Amino acid sequence: KKLAQKLGADERGMKMYVLCILKTGPKDSEVTGDLRKEIFAGHFANITKLADEGKLAVAGPFEKNDKAYRGLYIFNVATIEEAEKLVMLDPAVKAGVFVPDLTLWYGSAAMMMVSETHKKLQKPAK
């Protein structure tokens, strides 16, 4: 019961999130070289920050596909409006490299344990 409360679970062990699919943006091919490296460094730093703050349950890239899908976020917020504010913090979204597509998603509250577990699996940064 304590864990369910901590994770914001309902009686089914579920909660509302916002699913975000990052699609290839209109400026993707224009952003190159050092600027692209800087934008993606900011993109990854922002992912870490949002996960550490408990606002992002899961994030990750897609393999090459014919849908222009580039990445996925599952935001730990209950409204599209809240998720829009968070996704606009991403330098790659701001730069037009990615365009976000947001929708409500009802999933397991255990998703909120992924970030903590991931840190135990991740190779330490040098």
Side-chain angles (χ1 to χ4, degrees):
K1 184 169 165 117
K2 278 187 181 179
L3 183 59
Q5 284 178 328
K6 177 185 169 193
L7 299 177
D10 64 14
E11 66 280 354
R12 291 186 178 109
M14 309 277 278
K15 66 180 285 170
M16 193 59 70
Y17 297 95
V18 175
L19 170 70
C20 174
I21 295 187
L22 295 172
K23 298 179 180 180
T24 301
K27 303 219 172 154
D28 180 50
S29 61
E30 298 170 28
V31 178
T32 60
D34 287 343
L35 177 59
R36 191 172 186 89
K37 285 181 190 169
E38 183 182 321
I39 285 170
F40 273 89
H43 168 73
F44 295 122
N46 187 58
I47 289 170
T48 300
K49 178 180 180 286
L50 291 176
D52 288 347
E53 292 172 354
K55 294 176 182 170
L56 185 64
V58 174
F62 287 103
E63 292 295 309
K64 285 198 184 290
N65 61 78
D66 60 3
K67 296 178 177 137
Y69 288 6
R70 300 286 291 278
L72 174 141
Y73 289 148
I74 297 179
F75 288 110
N76 181 33
V77 297
T79 69
I80 299 287
E81 294 75 23
E82 290 173 276
E84 282 174 342
K85 289 176 186 165
L86 295 177
V87 80
M88 289 313 297
L89 298 173
D90 185 330
V93 172
K94 283 185 197 170
V97 172
F98 298 142
V99 174
D101 186 356
L102 303 163
T103 191
L104 292 172
W105 182 69
Y106 185 61
S108 173
M111 294 285 289
M112 292 312 302
M113 297 175 73
V114 170
S115 182
E116 184 181 317
T117 305
H118 180 77
K119 287 177 184 173
K120 295 175 184 174
L121 304 174
Q122 188 176 23
K123 184 178 176 182
K126 292 182 180 184

